[in-house]
Amino acid sequence: GIAAFRLTAEMAPYLLFGIIAAGLLHVLLPVDWASRNLGGSGIKPVIKAALIGIPLPLCSCSTLPIAALLKKQGASNGAVVSFLVTTPTSGVDSIFATYSLMGGIFTVARVISSFFIGITVGIVETFTKTEDFEKPAENFSQTTVSLNKLSLKEKVVSSFSYGFGELLGSMAKSLAIGLILGGAITYLMPADFLEEYLGYGIVSYVAAAAFGVPLYVCATGSIPMAASLLSKGLSPGAALVFLIAGPAVNAAALPVIAKILGKRTTTLFVAVLIIGAITAGFIFDKFLGFFPDFLTA
């Protein structure tokens, strides 16, 4: 119970920011923006979503309300999962923080890995999806179009009404389940779990992913943790796995993602994310094996 409460308190400011941002986007974005730019079944929307997500300074929980809005406005599942990968794993704030604590090579590796994993997840979802692409609901389109006629004050009120009413209401049950689950995992997982698997090799990559995925950790908050583990003997590749897998998803967010995109897409999202993070860690260690001077540059 205490662990779940602490997790709720830690997530609350970021979730609040995400709900407010989604409410404003609901009012300000043209109704057909998501369907025009992020809709359809091609690769182009996936790449666009990945590029849009990279600079945004949002954690995984801040990203959820915006992802829900984009999906509702007509973005494809492939574009949404791509956005869900790149947005919380990069961001301008975490890019500078990664550079300051871990150096240029980790910064470049993190951004490139985030981008390609995001695209991979989106492409796999796009080409394995069996259901037809859905257009925005008719009543939703009409409601959003009518918002353009409102005054500034009315738009602000409408954005808060949507964010803390319709949007939060649709996420509340799934979010509560996720918070309880996340709190339980945080309480039960041994504090020294990852330190038992310090070093190099596939076991360290899998351990870093297993440690990072269930826990709530933002992109910037994961950096000092990764730097500390690196100083204790964790391989650079395994540290990169943690820097990607940790911020991209957590146990509290999974029920909400399943609510937005469905269980099949959520399972695929997590599976491809983990495989992609482990692959990125392996390639990073191999690269540094050939060019060790990059680590101290």
Side-chain angles (χ1 to χ4, degrees):
I2 296 177
F5 177 78
R6 288 176 178 171
L7 181 62
T8 303
E10 187 176 353
M11 285 176 54
Y14 302 102
L15 185 62
L16 178 66
F17 178 79
I19 290 173
I20 293 173
L24 291 173
L25 290 174
H26 166 71
V27 172
L28 298 175
L29 280 182
V31 64
D32 60 344
W33 185 90
S35 59
R36 280 191 293 107
N37 292 278
L38 304 178
S41 57
I43 297 175
K44 191 175 180 180
V46 172
I47 297 175
K48 279 187 177 181
L51 290 172
I52 291 170
I54 285 176
L56 297 180
L58 302 173
C59 72
S60 58
C61 293
S62 300
T63 306
L64 292 177
I66 298 176
L69 174 66
L70 293 176
K71 173 62 180 173
K72 190 169 185 179
Q73 285 193 334
S76 67
N77 277 10
V80 174
V81 292
S82 180
F83 181 80
L84 283 171
V85 171
T86 61
T87 307
T89 54
S90 53
V92 290
D93 57 335
S94 66
I95 288 173
F96 283 109
T98 304
Y99 180 80
S100 66
L101 281 181
M102 305 190 74
I105 187 62
F106 266 101
T107 306
V108 172
R110 188 180 196 183
V111 174
I112 291 177
S113 299
S114 170
F115 177 67
F116 280 104
I117 293 171
I119 290 177
T120 301
V121 174
I123 290 175
V124 171
E125 162 60 24
T126 297
F127 286 99
T128 58
K129 188 176 181 180
T130 56
E131 62 268 33
D132 293 331
F133 169 65
E134 296 179 359
K135 293 291 184 182
E138 182 70 19
N139 60 348
F140 180 75
S141 299
Q142 293 174 349
T143 300
T144 309
V145 169
S146 67
L147 291 172
N148 295 328
K149 301 177 181 179
L150 299 179
S151 66
L152 177 60
K153 181 180 179 180
E154 289 172 330
K155 285 183 178 181
V156 172
V157 172
S158 179
S159 70
F160 275 80
S161 176
Y162 169 77
F164 291 95
E166 180 181 342
L167 181 61
L168 183 58
S170 67
M171 294 168 47
K173 182 179 178 180
S174 300
L175 184 61
I177 294 172
L179 287 169
I180 294 171
L181 178 61
I185 291 174
T186 302
Y187 176 76
L188 296 173
M189 182 173 285
D192 59 349
F193 173 81
L194 195 53
E195 294 184 21
E196 294 181 10
Y197 301 97
L198 289 174
Y200 288 71
I202 187 65
V203 175
S204 67
Y205 305 145
V206 173
F211 181 73
V213 167
L215 300 179
Y216 173 74
V217 55
C218 67
T220 303
S222 66
I223 299 167
M225 296 175 66
S228 175
L229 291 167
L230 190 65
S231 69
K232 292 182 180 181
L234 192 69
S235 75
L240 180 64
V241 173
F242 178 75
L243 285 172
I244 296 170
V249 70
N250 58 75
L254 283 176
V256 182
I257 297 174
K259 174 79 173 180
I260 298 170
L261 300 174
K263 294 180 180 179
R264 186 199 69 84
T265 299
T266 303
T267 301
L268 183 145
F269 163 65
V270 174
V272 178
L273 171 68
I274 292 174
I275 293 171
I278 291 173
T279 302
F282 174 79
I283 294 173
F284 190 48
D285 272 343
K286 289 296 182 183
F287 173 82
L288 291 176
F290 288 108
F291 306 101
D293 292 341
F294 274 93
L295 193 59
T296 55

